[in-house]
Amino acid sequence: MKVCIVGGVAGGATAAARLRRLSEDAEIIIFERTAYVSYANCGLPYYIGGEITEKEDLTLQTPESFRKWFAVDVRTCHEVIRIRPTEKIIEVKNLSDDTVYTETYDKLILSPGAKAALPPAFGLDCKNIFTVRTVEDALSIRQFIEEKKPKTAVIIGGGFIGLETAENLVRAGVSPTIILRGNQVMPTLDADMASGLHNYLCKNGVSLRFRETLEGFTEEDGSLLVHLKDKKPLYSDMVILAVGVVPDTNLAREAGLDLGAKGSILVNDFLQTSDPDIYAVGDAITIRNRVSSREALISLAGPANRQGRWAADNIMGRFRPYRGSAASSILKLFDMTVASTGLNEKTCKEAGIYFDKVVIHPFSHASYYPGAKDMTVKVLFAPKSGRILGCQIIGFDGVDKRIDVFAAAIQAEMTAADLEELDLAYSPPYSSAKDPVNYAGYVIENVRQGLVVQFHHDMIPKIAEMEDAVLLDIRTPAEFAKGHITGSIHLSLFDLREKIGELDRAKRYFVICQSGMRSYLACRILQAHGITASHLSGGYQFYSYVYCGECYSPDACRCEKTN
């Protein structure tokens, strides 16, 4: 059997290695149009900032090592320019000398990946405008920084690549400004969770410009002018385009293969395209979201590697359906870790899935053991069944461990009651006897069983307009003085039992504390005395991520905290 593979990065390289392990007889050829094979896209920003010092460390294999280890014919700087499916022939261009030749195949795997999306702007051909997608891109940016010593950079986009590049530019001594069309970074997060990142980025030297429309670029006296609609242009020494990626599927389109959303390649459960002898993997294909069962584009290395392995298995007769991805992801942002898995509020709504949510702030390990830091955990769940739908975590320690547990729980279709029962490893340096994952299960089940009623930060404007509603802050006097929600009254939890007779039983009390724990306790006390009460999920700590104490809307707020 002769298998040709278009693209030699995550999916393609994995498929080739798996094919060889399954067959010593197969002829396997990888065609990679760049000069590098099996390289780490995710590591490129860290080479720019010098965290990864040697360019050789960006590649897991070289063409030579791939041949030595796996007897695979790796042809870098070779671009497949046409597929002739009826003849089972591909046309290949050798980019070193521009010659074109043909190769036959029995099976073909397409792993072309995605290409950097370009914004609808003029002047994209100006000097010193870069993308971060290939090893060559990273080499060019680092060379520019080392030779030209830029002081400022503008980054268009605030997703994974934009944020990782911003961090590494700061590390390299460059002051970055991120331009965003919306009001948040990290679109995989809900807007309220992303709000927790904004101040942190600013404190670490990254400027943010929200709700800006990019018009284009011009050059002036060696600098770039970044033109924004209805605003003065920004001067910058360099620009990074990081507005996202689009599937690189021209080959598939010209070959007549069926395409889906954004031109992605449609595949079946066995990763076959509309031509059964052509398989496709990686960022270029449409897959199924593991939670919503809807079609999705998920450009992540983990799914691409698994798809490459699955495709190889299927080609070799080890029929194995690929059941989709929960889009689990994680990001290092200076000392902070940001992670998510499953659905967020937007994707739940798009899929028509009814959900509820909780926000908690557990410690990374036992609070009495030195170094404990709290994290913000937001969990989405199905109210009726308690099934876990998604999770987002922001923190400084222990985030990676918890997001992986939630990812496994989502894949296993576990419920909040199952989270309560998880027997997780405990020792004071690593966790608490009540692990954050268990804790999330406890809180969700309290809500589902009616032991407490919760309200969320976006309900506060309506609550403020209710005649029978009282916003009751039960934190300490010092906490209340430091910052509180406008219109709330103060009564410390420790005085609540003594003064409960002074409360108006005809009123509904909406209780606020710092994290949500004390307000839960207060609600149990109030309910025991026949007083209607609910508590703020995530507490004032989460509220203050999104708003300031003087307003109820992040869009209306113009304070330094949210802008």
Side-chain angles (χ1 to χ4, degrees):
M1 179 186 291
K2 182 177 180 180
V3 183
C4 291
I5 302 173
V6 180
V9 191
T14 298
R18 178 65 170 174
L19 283 166
R20 176 57 71 224
R21 290 194 295 270
L22 295 177
S23 172
E24 276 295 302
D25 299 323
E27 180 182 358
I28 306 166
I29 308 174
I30 295 177
F31 301 92
E32 170 56 46
R33 63 188 165 199
T34 73
Y36 300 89
V37 68
S38 189
Y39 60 83
N41 292 87
C42 301
L44 300 180
Y46 301 100
Y47 178 77
I48 292 169
E51 185 77 16
I52 296 174
T53 58
E54 303 299 329
K55 67 179 182 180
E56 291 77 13
D57 293 335
L58 292 172
T59 53
L60 305 177
Q61 296 279 355
T62 65
E64 294 74 22
S65 68
F66 222 108
R67 292 187 187 99
K68 182 177 179 180
W69 277 80
F70 301 107
V72 170
D73 183 358
V74 180
R75 303 179 188 178
T76 55
C77 298
H78 280 65
E79 181 177 10
V80 177
I81 58 175
R82 188 183 176 196
I83 304 169
R84 289 148 52 182
T86 56
E87 303 168 78
K88 289 193 174 182
I89 288 175
I90 56 175
E91 296 179 10
V92 185
K93 184 176 184 179
N94 184 337
L95 301 179
S96 300
D97 57 17
D98 289 336
T99 57
V100 176
Y101 62 95
T102 61
E103 285 282 352
T104 61
Y105 66 86
D106 296 309
K107 302 292 182 182
L108 179 65
I109 300 177
L110 300 181
S111 183
K115 54 188 176 183
L118 299 178
F122 60 81
L124 293 175
D125 58 346
C126 288
K127 294 180 180 179
N128 307 334
I129 296 179
F130 303 92
T131 57
V132 187
R133 189 64 190 168
T134 66
V135 172
E136 288 88 346
D137 292 337
L139 296 178
S140 295
I141 296 171
R142 181 155 159 179
Q143 181 180 5
F144 177 79
I145 292 172
E146 291 175 346
E147 293 180 357
K148 303 299 183 181
K149 302 292 190 291
K151 298 298 182 185
T152 59
V154 166
I155 299 172
I156 311 299
F160 289 101
I161 292 297
L163 294 182
E164 288 172 342
T165 302
E167 173 191 350
N168 282 280
L169 286 175
V170 170
R171 180 183 177 89
V174 183
S175 177
T177 297
I178 296 178
I179 304 295
L180 298 148
R181 292 197 66 177
N183 65 346
Q184 70 168 91
V185 298
M186 282 299 290
T188 56
L189 301 180
D190 291 322
D192 50 13
M193 288 291 285
S195 296
L197 307 182
H198 297 160
N199 267 357
Y200 182 73
L201 284 164
C202 293
K203 289 177 181 177
N204 282 277
V206 180
S207 298
L208 300 174
R209 295 280 296 264
F210 299 110
R211 308 177 188 92
E212 300 281 17
T213 300
L214 173 69
E215 292 188 331
F217 308 96
T218 57
E219 298 178 53
E220 183 178 299
D221 297 330
S223 293
L224 281 166
L225 268 67
V226 182
H227 298 273
L228 305 172
K229 185 177 181 180
D230 301 326
K231 299 287 178 65
K232 292 182 179 179
L234 298 178
Y235 283 85
S236 181
D237 296 323
M238 61 186 299
V239 167
I240 304 291
L241 300 179
V243 296
V245 296
V246 292
D248 191 354
T249 55
N250 286 338
L251 264 180
R253 179 183 293 104
E254 292 173 1
L257 302 180
D258 291 347
L259 303 180
K262 295 185 178 180
S264 58
I265 304 170
L266 287 178
V267 294
N268 63 16
D269 288 347
F270 296 94
L271 298 168
Q272 290 170 297
T273 68
S274 52
D275 183 319
D277 290 319
I278 302 178
Y279 293 72
V281 301
D283 297 354
I285 71 171
T286 304
I287 64 172
R288 185 168 59 250
N289 184 286
R290 194 69 181 260
V291 187
S292 69
S293 296
R294 289 167 63 92
E295 290 185 349
L297 296 176
I298 298 175
S299 299
L300 295 169
N305 273 276
R306 286 188 289 277
Q307 291 155 21
R309 183 183 179 91
W310 266 237
D313 279 6
N314 291 325
I315 286 173
M316 291 299 175
R318 302 169 60 89
F319 300 113
R320 190 176 190 185
Y322 180 73
R323 291 184 281 178
S325 167
S328 303
S329 64
I330 193 164
L331 169 73
K332 173 187 175 295
L333 196 59
F334 298 99
D335 294 326
M336 180 182 278
T337 304
V338 184
S340 66
T341 186
L343 304 180
N344 58 26
E345 292 194 36
K346 180 181 178 181
T347 50
C348 276
K349 292 172 183 175
E350 289 174 346
I353 296 174
Y354 184 57
F355 68 93
D356 200 353
K357 56 196 175 185
V358 297
V359 178
I360 58 177
H361 302 281
F363 281 103
S364 56
H365 59 252
S367 58
Y368 59 82
Y369 188 88
K373 297 180 180 180
D374 68 350
M375 61 182 78
T376 299
V377 181
K378 181 176 184 178
V379 185
L380 276 59
F381 63 95
K384 187 174 181 180
S385 66
R387 180 188 173 189
I388 305 303
L389 301 174
C391 178
Q392 302 159 50
I393 310 179
I394 298 174
F396 295 91
D397 184 36
V399 172
D400 53 341
K401 172 182 176 179
R402 275 59 186 227
I403 203 66
D404 284 342
V405 176
F406 276 108
I410 288 171
Q411 182 161 325
E413 299 186 5
M414 294 175 69
T415 67
D418 294 324
L419 296 188
E420 290 184 298
E421 296 184 10
L422 281 179
D423 192 3
L424 301 173
Y426 160 62
S427 178
Y430 302 106
S431 184
S432 301
K434 185 189 293 183
D435 187 87
V437 178
N438 299 131
Y439 184 29
Y442 300 152
V443 173
I444 292 170
E445 283 303 286
N446 281 342
V447 172
R448 291 186 62 245
Q449 295 171 15
L451 291 177
V452 69
V453 177
Q454 61 178 358
F455 67 99
H456 301 285
H457 62 81
D458 54 358
M459 298 170 61
I460 291 176
K462 295 180 180 178
I463 294 170
E465 296 174 356
M466 298 177 185
E467 293 185 1
D468 64 341
V470 177
L471 287 169
L472 178 63
D473 193 316
I474 54 87
R475 295 176 298 161
T476 65
E479 289 174 308
F480 185 80
K482 190 174 180 179
H484 58 270
I485 298 173
T486 301
S488 59
I489 65 171
H490 178 253
L491 175 59
S492 172
L493 172 66
F494 306 116
D495 298 325
L496 182 59
R497 288 186 176 90
E498 180 183 343
K499 298 185 178 181
I500 201 164
E502 301 175 13
L503 300 182
D504 186 346
R505 294 175 180 270
K507 301 285 189 180
R508 290 184 289 170
Y509 287 86
F510 295 85
V511 187
I512 304 155
C513 74
Q514 188 65 18
S515 67
M517 185 185 72
R518 284 174 288 173
S519 56
Y520 164 65
L521 299 176
C523 283
R524 296 300 301 155
I525 294 169
L526 293 169
Q527 290 167 359
H529 287 80
I531 297 174
T532 301
S534 57
H535 87 120
L536 177 61
S537 178
Y540 184 80
Q541 179 175 335
F542 193 58
Y543 172 89
S544 66
Y545 287 166
V546 189
Y547 316 96
C548 71
E550 302 300 321
C551 61
Y552 297 129
S553 168
D555 292 318
C557 182
R558 290 292 176 266
C559 69
E560 183 180 3
K561 173 169 289 192
T562 56
N563 288 274

